[in-house]
């Protein structure tokens, strides 16, 4: 087997940590000697052993000597003390002869440091093997570690003519069960999910990780944080997000204009953040909305690496047209709703001209049951 083959196997191991490792990256590692795999490992979750240590422990359990072995790992080993000791020390102590790495550490403070340490100690180091695949695996982590704001994905389920609900608000179910199950996997991979107050008032969603036939690894320890944009604190006290067993994972984002009595009542059930307002002007009017840029910085400071926006048309438009979204996940059902008053997946005032149009790239279409998923990145990526 080639270096690329072993890195592919390590990537398969790394994916077992999907939805469980944030704010750490998903990483897989394999120890090989004379064509024989001695140990396998992957990062199971924050505060737990890194993949390299798991692979070493696996080899020891098998009573295999790793002296002179080659370590294959999907991400540059850590070289600093954090929640766990640096993996470079364990690699050197184990007597490993060669290290093959997929992606380089994206953190500018540490990037390439492990390579220098290992090379100075006499180890052979090969890097950038299937680098793009390894980087894609941790797209959200890579963005957060550099920008310190979460990677934002706007997700919506709509008809072919871009409608998410009838004029009266009826929306269940536009897409099929397979599409909804796939959307639940998106939630599994996110640190937080965000909606606007109109979605809460219209649908009273749970915004939880619900078991689905195709979702086998709902995260074991970390819950999904729920963010509600509610400048005037209109969230009903009986709403699921502030009254269910996971209410402690809900944050209601309000403004100073919110009635103090309402804020106090909500604060007894969930977290409250006061966000500044910003003024948005167009040719017709000006509005004051919650400052989403401030919110993203706040979420990033709390180690939210990925944010899934499942808002209505206005919230979706705010993130997309302000250039704050990095990816979209649009599910299209083979249906036509029609109607000028039916609710749109992306509302707002829209672009004033072609120069303001949001352009997508890296588009990928995928069939999900009878529906289609369009996954793409925005020009902000």
């Amino acid at each position: 087997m080639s270096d690329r083959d072993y890195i592919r196997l390590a990537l398969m191991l790394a994916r077992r940590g999907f939805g469980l490792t944030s704010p750490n990256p998903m990483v897989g590692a394999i120890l090989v000697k004379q064509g024989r795999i001695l140990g396998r490992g992957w990062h199971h979750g924050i505060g737990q052993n890194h993949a390299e240590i798991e692979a070493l422990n696996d080899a020891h359990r098998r009573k295999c000597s790793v002296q002179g072995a080659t370590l294959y790992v999907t991400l540059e080993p850590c070289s600093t003390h954090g929640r766990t000791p640096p993996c470079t020390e364990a690699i050197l102590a184990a007597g490993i002869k060669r290290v093959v790495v997929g992606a380089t550490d994206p953190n500018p403070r540490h990037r390439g440091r492990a390579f220098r340490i290992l090379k100075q100690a006499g180890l052979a180091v090969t890097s950038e093997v299937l680098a793009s695949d390894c980087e894609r695996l941790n797209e959200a982590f890579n963005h957060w570690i550099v920008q310190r704001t979460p990677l934002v994905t706007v997700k919506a389920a709509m008809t072919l003519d871009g409608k998410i609900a009838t004029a009266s608000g009826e929306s269940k179910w536009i897409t099929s069960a397979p599409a909804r199950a796939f959307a639940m996997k998106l939630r599994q991979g996110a640190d937080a999910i965000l909606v606007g107050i109109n979605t809460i008032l219209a649908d009273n969603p749970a915004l939880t990780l619900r078991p689905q036939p195709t979702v086998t690894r709902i995260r074991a320890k970390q819950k999904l944080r729920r963010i509600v944009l509610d400048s005037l604190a209109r969230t009903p006290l009986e709403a699921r997000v502030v009254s269910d067993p996971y209410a402690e994972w809900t944050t209601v984002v309000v403004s100073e204009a919110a009635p103090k009595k309402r804020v106090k009542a909500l604060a007894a059930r969930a977290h409250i953040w006061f966000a500044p307002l910003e003024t948005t002007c167009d040719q017709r009017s000006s509005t004051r909305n919650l400052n989403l840029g401030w919110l993203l910085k706040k979420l990033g400071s709390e180690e939210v690496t990925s944010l899934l926006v499942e808002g209505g048309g206005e919230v979706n438009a705010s993130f997309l047209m302000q250039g704050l979204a990095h990816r979209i996940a649009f599910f299209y059902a083979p249906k036509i709703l029609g109607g000028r008053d039916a609710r749109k997946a992306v509302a707002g005032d829209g672009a004033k001209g072609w120069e303001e149009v949001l352009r997508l790239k890296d588009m990928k279409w995928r069939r999900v049951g009878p529906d289609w998923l369009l996954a793409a990145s925005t020009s902000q990526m």
Side-chain angles (χ1 to χ4, degrees):
M1 292 176 62
S2 67
D3 288 348
R4 292 167 63 90
D5 293 328
Y6 285 120
I7 289 293
R8 282 195 188 93
L9 288 178
L11 273 169
M12 292 174 63
L13 292 171
R15 293 188 184 101
R16 296 188 183 186
F18 179 71
L20 301 171
T21 64
S22 183
N24 288 350
M26 291 173 276
V27 184
I30 294 177
L31 282 163
V32 178
K33 187 175 181 179
Q34 296 177 345
R36 176 189 172 202
I37 295 178
L38 307 180
R40 299 174 175 87
W42 67 93
H43 186 40
H44 292 250
I46 187 168
Q48 300 186 47
N49 290 333
H50 287 188
E52 299 93 323
I53 307 304
E54 286 289 328
L56 286 168
N57 290 344
D58 186 40
H60 293 155
R61 281 192 296 268
R62 298 167 179 263
K63 302 188 185 315
C64 297
S65 171
V66 300
Q67 189 80 27
T70 297
L71 170 68
Y72 293 90
V73 60
T74 57
L75 181 65
E76 178 183 350
C78 67
S79 57
T80 58
H81 282 272
R83 294 183 176 92
T84 59
C87 290
T88 49
E89 292 183 0
I91 292 169
L92 294 176
I96 289 170
K97 175 182 173 183
R98 180 174 178 243
V99 177
V100 180
V101 176
T104 303
D105 189 339
N107 191 332
R109 294 179 298 172
H110 308 148
R111 187 176 181 87
R113 184 180 179 189
F115 299 153
R116 293 190 294 271
I117 291 173
L118 297 174
K119 287 178 181 178
Q120 288 170 3
L123 277 70
V125 177
T126 302
S127 60
E128 303 295 308
V129 178
L130 295 181
S132 59
D133 292 343
C134 294
E135 289 167 359
R136 195 177 306 116
L137 176 70
N138 289 303
E139 185 178 41
F141 170 81
N142 295 342
H143 174 86
W144 173 76
I145 203 69
V146 175
Q147 304 296 333
R148 288 296 165 176
T149 57
L151 184 87
V152 177
T153 299
V154 174
K155 172 256 172 184
M158 66 192 82
T159 59
L160 285 179
D161 54 340
K163 307 298 173 57
I164 59 174
T166 64
S168 63
E170 183 181 352
S171 61
K172 295 182 179 177
W173 294 102
I174 290 178
T175 52
S176 63
R180 297 196 298 274
F182 194 96
M184 197 57 56
K185 292 184 70 174
L186 296 180
R187 286 189 185 181
Q188 184 189 356
D191 293 335
I193 181 172
L194 181 147
V195 299
I197 180 58
N198 290 333
T199 296
I200 298 296
L201 295 176
D203 300 333
N204 190 22
L207 304 180
T208 54
L209 288 165
R210 299 184 298 275
Q212 299 286 336
T214 59
V215 180
T216 58
R217 286 182 61 83
I218 290 297
R219 63 182 66 192
K221 294 184 178 179
Q222 186 179 358
K223 300 294 190 300
L224 179 67
R225 296 183 62 167
R226 303 178 293 192
I227 312 297
V228 180
L229 301 183
D230 183 10
S231 60
L232 297 178
R234 293 188 293 151
T235 300
L237 297 181
E238 63 272 15
R240 291 181 182 180
V241 292
V242 294
S243 63
D244 68 10
Y246 309 107
E248 64 177 310
W249 290 91
T250 298
T251 297
V252 182
V253 185
V254 303
S255 72
E256 293 290 351
K260 291 182 173 56
K261 186 175 180 180
R262 291 289 309 163
V263 172
K264 183 178 180 180
L266 287 171
R269 296 169 175 258
H271 298 281
I272 298 292
W273 286 354
F274 285 90
L277 294 170
E278 62 178 353
T279 301
T280 304
C281 300
D282 60 26
Q283 295 177 345
R284 296 180 292 276
S285 63
S286 65
T287 57
R288 286 175 61 76
N289 299 310
L290 295 172
N291 188 317
L292 299 180
W294 175 91
L295 176 60
L296 292 179
K297 290 178 181 177
K298 177 71 172 174
L299 289 169
S301 71
E302 299 216 345
E303 298 187 330
V304 173
T305 69
S306 56
L307 176 66
L308 184 65
V309 175
E310 290 194 18
E314 295 298 330
V315 170
N316 292 346
S318 294
F319 277 93
L320 288 167
M321 304 315 291
Q322 290 183 41
L324 299 175
H326 306 98
R327 298 196 63 80
I328 66 160
F330 284 0
F331 293 86
Y332 289 93
K335 302 172 183 176
I336 302 291
L337 181 57
R340 64 176 58 88
D341 296 324
R343 300 182 185 180
K344 305 175 182 66
V346 182
D349 295 320
K352 300 180 182 64
W354 285 112
E355 70 279 359
E356 296 184 7
V357 168
L358 179 65
R359 303 182 188 279
L360 303 177
K361 58 184 181 180
D362 304 325
M363 295 191 301
K364 294 181 176 61
W365 288 94
R366 174 171 180 163
R367 185 76 178 263
V368 186
D371 306 314
W372 286 92
L373 166 63
L374 171 62
S377 58
T378 70
S379 55
Q380 280 70 46
M381 282 296 290

